[in-house]
Amino acid sequence: MEEKVAIIGGGPAGMIAAGIAGSRGKNITLFEKNQKLGKKLFITGKGRCNITNNGDIEDLIQSVVVNNTFLYSAFYTFTNQDIIDLLNKYGVRTKVERGNRVFPESDKSSDVIKALEKFLNDNNVNIKLNTEIKDIIKDNENGLFSIKTQNNEILKFNKVIIATGGKSYEQTGSTGDGYKFSKKFNHTIIDLKPALVPCEVKENWITELQGLSLKNVTISAYTENKKIFEEFGEMIFTHYGISGPIVLTMSNYINKYISKSNDIKIKIDLKPALDFKKLESRLIKDFEKYSKKQFKNALNELLPKKLIPVIIKLSGIPEDKFINQITKEERTHLINILKGLTLTFKKFRPLNEGIITSGGISTLEIDPSTMESKIIKGLFFAGEVIDVDALTGGFNLQIAYSTGYLAGYNC
């Protein structure tokens, strides 16, 4: 009898799983609650779709912040080159940008989705859109899974792959359904937290900097004087705290310490290209040039306009003090602020604002070489629903393809 496989979730993990399982002659039905496939994929990379990362496999593994060893088999079985080759086959030419990020040459995520849809059609996948799954039950007598749709239709399958995504960006359909189904099958759900998410801070002066974007700064995070993160790049101030590429990356590292420490400090080096002595020389030059000006009018060449009043306030130097009256001690204090503008971490923005969800189905209960449940035979998992998460740069999408491939191949 022909094996029937249900795949729940039409994101990247579900689409790869469905296409691969279909290519092996299985009767595949892909269920998607939205009116089209790949709704979250469509908005990734600001609509350009950061398909994957062009680093080697060890780079991929090192980019995974939580449970990276679980992904060895997945990453080596279906590689970043494999997804590029698959998309090339269906007409998507790719390019590599900064940080080894891979994008479609067209800069259109819709081209990636169209290619994956062709892949599904070529492998005879039955796609059911606008179909929300309400329940999954396994009959222990015949070993079949009964899937109940929102129309109370009951459909029978031999195998099921749960690829429903996480619980962030709920407007894309990621409402945590997979966790609910898995819990019913006695799977452990590791606490859900936002990952790759902006941070709120305690300092009130942050509101004065709302909208200010900084390039070429270094951000560091500390817990009890231990440095847990440092990265150079871009960031932005918001009305509640900080965001931007290096802040989103930092959030994954803070995530690992948040339960162990309530005291996390964030430091921004506004001038990382200059060490203390070089910055002092630069400041002395500027101060000589503007020696007859007031302090508030002497920092225009050094800092963005919006940042100057905040730095003045933090320095404790009166804004109307003349430059030629500023003491060496005051100058030293100012340099320390420029090299370590300090913020106090308050909390992450809500789960729904995270790019991905940290936590999910425990990797201890999933076979890493097949993605099959160790608890329920015939039940498989793929993608963000599993307790693995990585940095930005195409790594999380590669997790989706690689785990999707293993689930599809082994179901």
Side-chain angles (χ1 to χ4, degrees):
M1 189 183 109
E2 190 180 37
E3 273 212 321
K4 294 174 79 176
V5 180
I7 296 166
I8 305 168
M15 286 191 276
I16 292 294
I20 294 300
S23 73
R24 303 189 72 239
K26 304 285 174 83
N27 181 334
I28 307 299
T29 304
L30 176 61
F31 294 96
E32 171 53 54
K33 64 160 73 166
N34 291 310
Q35 60 191 12
K36 52 179 75 171
L37 297 173
K39 196 168 179 184
K40 189 174 178 183
L41 188 62
F42 183 71
I43 61 171
T44 60
K46 296 178 181 170
R48 295 172 61 221
C49 189
N50 181 186
I51 297 164
T52 186
N53 193 283
N54 204 41
D56 60 32
I57 303 299
E58 283 303 315
D59 290 335
L60 300 187
I61 289 161
Q62 291 310 310
S63 78
V64 180
V65 180
V66 176
N67 296 322
N68 63 353
T69 56
F70 174 80
L71 292 165
Y72 265 95
S73 184
F75 279 161
Y76 274 101
T77 306
F78 190 77
T79 68
N80 44 3
Q81 191 56 52
D82 289 329
I83 187 63
I84 290 167
D85 291 345
L86 177 65
L87 293 172
N88 286 168
K89 180 185 169 185
Y90 287 100
V92 177
R93 296 176 66 84
T94 57
K95 59 183 176 180
V96 180
E97 296 188 2
R98 181 179 53 83
N100 275 329
R101 289 166 164 82
V102 179
F103 289 90
E105 275 188 3
S106 66
D107 285 330
K108 289 180 182 172
S109 55
S110 54
D111 288 348
V112 175
I113 296 166
K114 280 175 198 161
L116 292 174
E117 285 172 338
K118 285 180 197 167
F119 173 56
L120 296 175
N121 291 331
D122 278 1
N123 291 296
N124 304 310
V125 174
N126 175 27
I127 301 166
K128 283 187 173 285
L129 299 173
N130 297 307
T131 308
E132 187 173 352
I133 303 306
K134 289 296 186 187
D135 202 4
I136 309 170
I137 298 159
K138 187 172 187 190
D139 187 328
N140 291 324
E141 283 185 30
N142 59 24
L144 294 177
F145 291 89
S146 295
I147 286 184
K148 184 181 179 183
T149 70
Q150 84 267 35
N151 302 322
N152 292 323
E153 187 182 9
I154 306 284
L155 303 163
K156 306 273 187 185
F157 294 91
N158 303 89
K159 309 269 178 71
V160 172
I161 299 174
I162 293 176
T164 48
K167 209 174 182 308
S168 50
Y169 279 82
E170 287 192 0
Q171 63 273 28
T172 64
S174 300
T175 51
D177 300 344
Y179 308 127
K180 182 180 68 180
F181 301 142
S182 307
K183 216 167 186 178
K184 262 194 68 179
F185 287 117
N186 295 317
H187 271 279
T188 305
I189 310 300
I190 305 301
D191 287 350
L192 305 180
K193 291 185 282 188
L196 301 178
V197 66
C199 299
E200 294 188 20
V201 300
K202 292 180 181 176
E203 285 69 21
N204 293 326
W205 51 258
I206 207 79
T207 55
E208 297 173 45
L209 300 178
Q210 182 179 348
L212 174 64
S213 182
L214 298 178
K215 291 183 178 181
N216 306 321
V217 296
T218 296
I219 196 164
S220 316
Y222 297 82
T223 174
E224 290 148 12
N225 295 320
K226 176 190 173 188
K227 189 189 285 185
I228 57 173
F229 173 83
E230 181 175 287
E231 187 150 324
F232 173 84
E234 295 177 36
M235 62 166 288
I236 187 167
F237 293 98
T238 65
H239 66 283
Y240 52 75
I242 50 176
S243 187
I246 54 175
V247 174
L248 298 183
T249 299
M250 177 181 69
S251 71
N252 274 25
Y253 289 88
I254 291 178
N255 236 334
K256 293 169 78 171
Y257 288 90
I258 202 80
S259 54
K260 302 172 198 165
S261 173
N262 294 322
D263 183 29
I264 291 171
K265 296 287 184 190
I266 297 163
K267 291 189 178 180
I268 304 164
D269 184 345
L270 298 167
K271 297 291 172 184
L274 304 173
D275 62 20
F276 188 95
K277 282 203 160 179
K278 284 180 182 167
L279 183 55
E280 186 175 39
S281 299
R282 163 75 196 272
L283 210 55
I284 288 168
K285 263 188 196 171
D286 283 2
F287 281 8
E288 283 171 358
K289 186 176 176 182
Y290 298 117
S291 63
K292 291 177 183 174
K293 286 197 171 188
Q294 291 178 324
F295 183 41
K296 65 183 175 185
N297 298 319
L299 299 174
N300 292 331
E301 289 182 28
L302 192 69
L303 296 169
K305 194 176 179 183
K306 209 170 191 176
L307 191 55
I308 292 171
V310 170
I311 295 297
I312 288 174
K313 202 182 295 178
L314 294 173
S315 75
I317 303 168
E319 62 169 28
D320 54 359
K321 189 169 188 174
F322 285 94
I323 291 296
N324 55 18
Q325 294 175 344
I326 289 176
T327 66
K328 188 182 178 185
E329 289 73 22
E330 286 174 326
R331 193 178 66 226
T332 298
H333 182 50
L334 175 62
I335 294 166
N336 284 330
I337 291 166
L338 297 174
K339 294 294 289 176
L341 182 60
T342 304
L343 300 164
T344 310
F345 176 80
K346 184 179 177 184
K347 63 179 180 178
F348 292 127
R349 293 296 287 168
L351 181 58
N352 195 38
E353 289 184 33
I355 292 176
I356 56 163
T357 306
S358 177
I361 297 151
S362 172
T363 54
L364 299 174
E365 299 165 358
I366 303 170
D367 184 333
S369 59
T370 63
M371 295 298 136
E372 186 172 17
S373 164
K374 292 179 180 179
I375 297 171
I376 303 291
K377 194 165 171 51
L379 181 66
F380 295 78
F381 303 99
E384 198 181 333
V385 75
I386 303 168
D387 180 28
V388 283
D389 59 87
L391 306 177
T392 55
F395 302 110
N396 289 290
L397 277 178
Q398 187 61 48
I399 292 172
Y401 314 131
S402 296
T403 55
Y405 179 94
L406 281 185
Y409 188 85
N410 292 290
C411 67

